[in-house]
Amino acid sequence: MSLLDMIGPVMIGPSSSHTAGACRLGLVAHHLLGEAPREAKIGLHASFAKTGRGHGTHLALVAGLLGYSPDDPRLPQAFEQAQAAGLHFEFADVDLGDVHPNTAHIVLKGETQEVTVQGSSTGGGVILVTQVQGLGVNFSGASPTLLLRYTDAVGMIARIASSIAAAGVNIAALTCTRAARGGQALLAIELDAPPSPEALSFIASWQDVNWVRLLPKLMDG
């Protein structure tokens, strides 16, 4: 058991480790959108729906969508900050099936981009992201994470991994999901360190790659 498990994460607002997790789920969507958010539809499942307001979950999710960390002093004013930033948001209670009770489904739109993220707050401020753009993933944001959407083809994963290795970065974990053989695939790669902008630009320039995002490390330690 870690110190975080016993005392919870450092955060501003109501004292709840799941509130910190909710903020980090919003941060995932914020970083993956890649531009200023303008509209958010947030579905809350089970416990998130039933107890979210009492624990500050709604505020924390919106704060994360704005790019605020759990210890940001602006978190308690997230709704006012969102209005000032031009972000319209709405919440709905949803049934997401057999998933963790503290799960949120987020659809976030900007001027030109849209991202869909589903993930859970598993306790102690820790999260697990289970879907991005409708495809299955499995990462926590505890390390820099590279996400790529591309057209499924023989050798693509090996090619991407080789390019990351050539940039001097080690892969810690990798998950890949595809809609169908030869269809759209989503690769999530947890890394020991972020690759250089040049390495990312090189991968993004490939013909079969149509979406690349680098999620920064969201957890301390």
Side-chain angles (χ1 to χ4, degrees), residues 11-12 18-37 40 42 56-72 74-79 81-82 85 87 89 91 106 108 115 117 127 215-216 218:
M11 65 166 295
I12 301 294
H18 288 301
T19 307
C23 184
R24 290 192 174 103
L25 288 173
L27 270 172
V28 171
H30 171 85
H31 286 296
L32 296 186
L33 182 65
E35 63 181 25
I42 307 165
T57 301
H58 297 68
L59 280 170
L61 280 161
V62 172
L65 295 178
L66 292 170
Y68 301 169
S69 61
D71 60 353
D72 194 302
R74 297 171 293 179
L75 191 150
Q77 290 80 44
F79 289 175
Q81 295 286 339
L87 170 60
F89 58 90
F91 291 93
I106 303 168
L108 187 63
V115 67
V117 173
I127 63 170
L215 181 71
L218 300 180

Side-chain angles (χ1 to χ4, degrees), residues 154-172:
V154 174
M156 277 297 292
I157 294 177
R159 187 180 174 195
I160 293 166
S162 295
S163 296
I164 293 172
V169 177
N170 190 47
I171 293 175

Side-chain angles (χ1 to χ4, degrees), residues 36-168:
R38 291 289 175 257
E39 180 182 344
K41 295 183 179 180
I42 307 165
L44 300 176
H45 173 75
S47 294
F48 259 8
K50 294 176 182 177
T51 66
R53 292 197 181 277
H55 287 290
T57 301
H58 297 68
L59 280 170
L61 280 161
V62 172
L65 295 178
L66 292 170
Y68 301 169
S69 61
D71 60 353
D72 194 302
R74 297 171 293 179
L75 191 150
Q77 290 80 44
F79 289 175
E80 293 84 356
Q81 295 286 339
Q83 183 177 13
L87 170 60
H88 172 76
F89 58 90
E90 59 183 67
F91 291 93
D93 295 350
V94 295
D95 183 352
L96 298 173
D98 186 19
V99 298
H100 192 284
N102 293 305
T103 296
H105 184 274
I106 303 168
V107 179
L108 187 63
K109 298 179 181 179
E111 293 294 338
T112 64
Q113 301 291 319
E114 178 177 336
V115 67
T116 301
V117 173
Q118 183 169 306
S120 307
S121 172
T122 59
V126 177
I127 63 170
L128 179 64
V129 180
T130 54
Q131 284 186 25
V132 171
Q133 305 297 59
L135 294 173
V137 291
N138 184 15
F139 65 86
S140 68
S143 60
T145 304
L146 179 63
L147 291 102
L148 305 98
R149 191 173 61 198
Y150 58 91
T151 303
D152 177 52
V154 174
M156 277 297 292
I157 294 177
R159 187 180 174 195
I160 293 166
S162 295
S163 296
I164 293 172

